[in-house]
Amino acid sequence: MMSTAPQDADTPVDGSPDTESRSLSGRSRANDGTGVTPQTRRKVVVASFIGNFVEWFDYAVYGYLATTIAVVFFPESDPRVALLSTYALFAISFLIRPIGGFFWGSLGDRVGRRTALAWSILIMSGATFLIALLPSYQAVGFLAPLLLLVLRLVQGFSAAGEYAGSSAFLVEYAPPRRRGMYAAVVPASTATGLLLGSLIASLLSVTLTDPQMESWGWRLPFLLAAPMGLIGRYIRNKLEDTPEFQALAKGDDVVKAPTKQLLVTYWRTGLLASGAVLLNAVGFYMILSYMPVYMSTELGLSDTRAYIATTVALFTYIGFIFLTGLLSDRFGRRKVLISASVSFIVLTVPAFFLLETDSFLVILLVQVLLGAMLTLNDGTLPSFLAELFPTEVRYSGFAISFNLSNAIFGGTAPFVATLLIGMTGSTIAPAWYLMAAAAVSLIAVLIARETAHHELRRQAA
């Protein structure tokens, strides 16, 4: 995967060649005036990729194993009620994410991005590992789902700092004209974590019987959290903090109360950012996490085929995501984000109708199409949100706006989709919900300013 990581050459937007010479001795130098070497940037990309991958693999496994978890922790319920209960726990864990956003954002803006990211991955991995050790409902009764809820809340608190922190970290290390490309590493690593979760879920569904899955099979992916988390923390601790944050600290310009300054000075920007996130919040969890369950429980597709379709979509999503980052550097963030929203408004309902076909090939192509449409948003959003806020409140602004939308609309997306289908009797109902989210994001992006190369334009002026 990492062969597709951003290159270090700083290609100007107008396509003119970079004429700065390279050292003949082979010692590469930064050619963008930031003083950061290509070797350092490669380490930052690898560390951000691995750390974010571990966090989101841990968090996504729960979604892919939702039907089995429903049986383990809610065995006495009607199947739909059990699934709703499982997704309710999924949604409740998101409610703590705004609190986590305030905490990690403040920590990252006051103490440093690296410190916040190193601790968030450790907490996430520990909580995920403990889920693997939980007793079932049959063993301890109501205590089982209660313990699951507590650990899901810890996961939600930890995840609140990851996406925003990784994006800020990459943007502040990236060449000025390549921020979109570098920040695209964050959704790519997130999708890779989902991909591994999907592959493991597919393997388990093929090789294990239902009783085996319900007894011990579902625990296996959660057990992987501990070693992967320790590796991610070790890599992150080997890096220095970003040049922009170090410059703030050196100049004694670090804000002592970044959350207060954000709410007082940048509250309008925060509202626009929260609106822009809505399509990502609903689309990401509906298309890349909920879809296998939707296709198996609502459309009658076999679990194996449902997982295969999502796995293929994730592969193409990862490939497209870097192209989207490149496009946002070339044409601007707003144009790409607007095209994403318009695509979902126009194509979501027809796509969901096509999912009801008997042709697995058509289902597969629709999944790939939805994933490709989502990359237009997801590949651009990290750089867009990071650039909306100044350095001194960047982590807080990103974390709070991103997690607020995800808490209200992202974590509830599988629950709302399942509920809408139950209330209306229509399997197309989730499509209308996704369209509404795209419309809100479109309005927010239309109001917001263009962020690509904004700092370079300001300096030139």
Side-chain angles (χ1 to χ4, degrees), residues 26-319:
R27 294 177 299 175
S28 298
R29 299 178 300 170
N31 64 358
D32 47 44
T34 63
V36 179
T37 65
Q39 293 92 332
T40 298
R41 285 204 177 100
R42 281 192 287 271
K43 291 178 182 178
V44 168
V45 168
V46 171
S48 298
F49 188 98
I50 292 177
N52 202 54
F53 159 79
V54 170
E55 284 258 9
W56 290 95
F57 167 77
D58 293 351
Y59 207 66
V61 163
Y62 183 93
Y64 285 124
L65 297 176
T67 53
T68 301
I69 290 172
V71 175
V72 174
F73 290 93
F74 305 98
E76 298 179 358
S77 302
D78 172 85
R80 184 175 293 277
V81 174
L83 188 58
L84 281 170
S85 299
T86 303
Y87 281 136
L89 286 184
F90 185 84
I92 289 172
S93 72
F94 274 72
L95 296 180
I96 201 171
R97 284 184 59 168
I99 300 173
F102 280 100
F103 175 83
W104 295 112
S106 178
L107 183 66
D109 283 330
R110 289 184 298 105
V111 180
R113 284 71 161 116
R114 188 191 70 168
T115 300
L117 288 170
W119 277 104
S120 68
I121 193 172
L122 189 64
I123 295 172
M124 166 65 85
S125 300
T128 306
F129 178 76
L130 290 176
I131 288 177
L133 307 181
L134 287 179
S136 67
Y137 185 91
Q138 291 182 339
V140 297
F142 181 72
L143 182 61
L146 182 61
L147 290 172
L148 178 61
L149 172 61
V150 170
L151 292 176
R152 288 292 297 167
L153 288 173
V154 174
Q155 281 188 318
F157 178 80
S158 171
E162 179 58 37
Y163 202 94
S166 293
S167 298
F169 204 72
L170 283 163
V171 162
E172 291 177 0
Y173 258 115
R177 297 183 187 274
R178 302 296 300 278
R179 284 178 161 185
M181 187 67 166
Y182 272 73
V185 169
V186 177
S189 58
T190 299
T192 306
L194 289 173
L195 176 60
L196 180 60
S198 179
L199 288 171
I200 291 177
S202 300
L203 180 63
L204 292 175
S205 69
V206 170
T207 58
L208 299 181
T209 64
D210 287 344
Q212 288 174 326
M213 277 292 292
E214 294 162 13
S215 175
W216 54 269
W218 70 272
R219 302 178 186 273
L220 297 180
F222 293 97
L223 289 172
L224 294 174
M228 290 197 302
L230 292 174
I231 292 172
R233 179 177 169 81
Y234 173 80
I235 293 174
R236 283 182 169 173
N237 278 333
K238 291 295 182 180
L239 294 171
E240 292 185 353
D241 221 314
T242 69
E244 290 189 29
F245 182 81
Q246 290 187 61
L248 282 181
K250 185 177 180 180
D252 199 24
D253 294 323
V254 174
V255 177
K256 293 182 173 59
T259 301
K260 179 180 178 181
Q261 181 163 333
L262 176 72
L263 297 178
V264 172
T265 308
Y266 300 102
W267 63 270
R268 291 182 181 85
T269 304
L271 287 178
L272 287 177
S274 297
V277 170
L278 202 60
L279 176 56
N280 165 269
V282 176
F284 184 86
Y285 289 100
M286 188 175 291
I287 294 172
L288 299 181
S289 180
Y290 167 69
M291 196 59 74
V293 177
Y294 169 78
M295 289 190 293
S296 61
T297 59
E298 308 297 346
L299 304 183
L301 200 68
S302 69
D303 288 345
T304 301
R305 286 196 163 194
Y307 283 129
I308 290 173
T310 300
T311 300
V312 173
L314 282 167
F315 266 116
T316 56
Y317 175 96
I318 295 167

Side-chain angles (χ1 to χ4, degrees), residues 98 102 262-263 266-282 337 341 377 381 384-386 388-389 396-410 436-445 447-448:
F102 280 100
L262 176 72
L263 297 178
Y266 300 102
W267 63 270
R268 291 182 181 85
T269 304
L271 287 178
L272 287 177
S274 297
V277 170
L278 202 60
L279 176 56
N280 165 269
V282 176
L337 290 172
S341 294
N377 179 272
L381 197 63
F384 175 76
L385 292 177
L388 271 179
F389 301 96
S396 296
F398 194 136
I400 292 170
S401 59
F402 184 80
N403 286 293
L404 187 63
S405 280
N406 271 278
I408 300 172
F409 301 102
V440 174
S441 288
L442 176 61
I443 294 170
V445 173
I447 296 173

